[in-house]
Amino acid sequence: HAHLVLLYKNVPPEDFEVQDMTVFISSQIFLNRNYRWINDPSRLGADVSTGEEDQLGVEEVELFNAFEAKRGYLVEWFRKAGGDGSRVLERVEALVTSSTGQRGSHSLTSSGPNVEWTEFPGQRGDFVPKQEVPPSEWFSARSAETFRSWLQRVTQGPPGSCRLVSLNLGQYGMKREGLELL
């Protein structure tokens, strides 16, 4: 997946086709799920004189640069893309939730989206199926609700919502984990 990202590093994002966006975004999500970033053995006291190479075979900085250079364009494209954007996000979801790249009969080559995706209100670059967007009153504080409980409720989303593709973080989440200390 790291090498797939490098293939797209110097391709201007405006030249991306639907399949290119699908591969680029799903590769980022795969790497974020399966690779420990800043994997510097010397930092952990390991013997680096053995010449053991990095697991990816690619400099992490190169990957971060590729993701960062394309993120803003991709977010704007998804805001305007309509059905094409929904098709990409549905394909990304199918790829990252299945080891075969297919979920049911849905694959990289399927024609249209089954679900309309939209940007989650107040979270630029995070996209969810439109039917999972909570009503606007969900984001308002309720009477006698503390700041902490409001923040947890809003960041974790309403019960039943769970599918989210974050272009900001390069993540796919079935349910937000909520707040944690940094």
Side-chain angles (χ1 to χ4, degrees):
H1 292 272
H3 292 94
L4 289 171
V5 172
L6 282 185
L7 289 173
Y8 290 109
K9 182 180 181 218
N10 294 318
V11 176
E14 54 272 5
D15 291 346
F16 274 23
E17 300 288 331
V18 167
Q19 184 166 341
D20 300 321
M21 289 192 184
T22 303
V23 170
F24 186 81
I25 294 166
S26 59
S27 293
Q28 182 181 16
I29 292 170
F30 178 87
L31 288 169
N32 283 333
R33 279 187 166 186
N34 297 294
Y35 178 72
R36 183 175 175 189
W37 295 102
I38 311 172
N39 191 16
D40 181 3
S42 65
R43 192 173 53 105
L44 302 173
D47 181 14
V48 293
S49 62
T50 60
E52 191 174 305
E53 292 225 5
D54 185 7
Q55 294 174 339
L56 291 177
V58 172
E59 290 293 326
E60 291 175 350
V61 172
E62 294 287 325
L63 298 173
F64 286 130
N65 285 340
F67 297 139
E68 181 61 28
K70 308 226 181 315
R71 179 177 43 197
Y73 177 85
L74 293 177
V75 169
E76 290 304 316
W77 184 85
F78 277 103
R79 284 181 171 167
K80 300 173 186 170
D84 281 343
S86 292
R87 192 165 77 235
V88 168
L89 293 169
E90 195 165 305
R91 290 174 177 181
V92 166
E93 181 182 43
L95 286 168
V96 301
T97 59
S98 171
S99 61
T100 63
Q102 297 182 15
R103 189 171 60 182
S105 62
H106 189 80
S107 72
L108 260 181
T109 57
S110 68
S111 59
N114 295 321
V115 175
E116 184 181 350
W117 290 68
T118 188
E119 193 168 30
F120 196 82
Q123 295 182 24
R124 185 180 192 275
D126 289 350
F127 293 85
V128 296
K130 194 170 193 168
Q131 72 269 16
E132 293 186 17
V133 174
S136 59
E137 56 269 6
W138 173 263
F139 300 100
S140 300
R142 296 177 180 160
S143 64
E145 185 174 40
T146 66
F147 176 74
R148 181 181 178 151
S149 61
W150 169 83
L151 188 59
Q152 284 180 323
R153 179 175 53 82
V154 170
T155 57
Q156 292 177 2
S161 70
C162 56
R163 297 160 54 201
L164 176 133
V165 174
S166 176
L167 298 180
N168 294 324
L169 302 175
Q171 294 179 343
Y172 173 81
M174 287 300 291
K175 182 71 176 169
R176 283 289 178 114
E177 290 78 26
L179 302 177
E180 64 181 62
L181 294 174
L182 298 178

